[in-house]
Amino acid sequence: MDIQGRADHIEDYLASLHQGQWFGFGGKEKVYANLIIHDSSKTKPTEQECIDGLAQLQAEYDQAIIDKENKKASAKQKLQDLGLTVDEIKEAFGI
């Protein structure tokens, strides 16, 4: 994950599938071609599943950020509708 917590590698997707260290890369570069499954009860996802899974994690993260910003804007507007000034809202809530 990047420093903001957004998934940025197939390893992030793989870690979301199961608990524990069920996969690895054999001490090599962390690319799909080097993916090794350590737990025989788990199946190796296809490369496309990894790509799609990572894209889904990224989309969910991005949507959560958008939703948070929309809720913040909505709250600010509701406070303004109640008669608070922008300065009052900023002072009280930092938004």
Side-chain angles (χ1 to χ4, degrees), residues 10-25 35-42:
I10 65 165
E11 186 175 23
D12 298 322
Y13 167 69
L14 293 167
S16 75
L17 294 178
H18 307 288
Q19 295 290 326
Q21 190 59 43
W22 65 277
F23 70 92
F25 294 95
L35 178 61
I36 299 168
I37 305 304
H38 299 300
D39 183 341
S40 62
S41 70
K42 311 293 190 256

Side-chain angles (χ1 to χ4, degrees), residues 19-82:
Q19 295 290 326
Q21 190 59 43
W22 65 277
F23 70 92
F25 294 95
K28 299 177 183 176
E29 186 179 3
K30 293 181 177 183
V31 295
Y32 184 82
N34 297 331
L35 178 61
I36 299 168
I37 305 304
H38 299 300
D39 183 341
S40 62
S41 70
K42 311 293 190 256
T43 58
K44 183 176 182 178
T46 66
E47 186 171 15
Q48 191 61 52
E49 287 172 332
C50 291
I51 292 167
D52 294 345
L54 176 58
Q56 181 65 35
L57 289 175
Q58 291 172 334
E60 290 169 1
Y61 179 90
D62 294 344
Q63 188 61 52
I65 296 296
I66 291 168
D67 291 348
K68 182 178 178 180
E69 290 301 315
N70 286 343
K71 287 178 183 178
K72 189 187 238 184
S74 175
K76 185 176 179 180
Q77 185 59 54
K78 288 174 183 176
L79 291 170
Q80 286 175 325
D81 291 347
L82 291 172

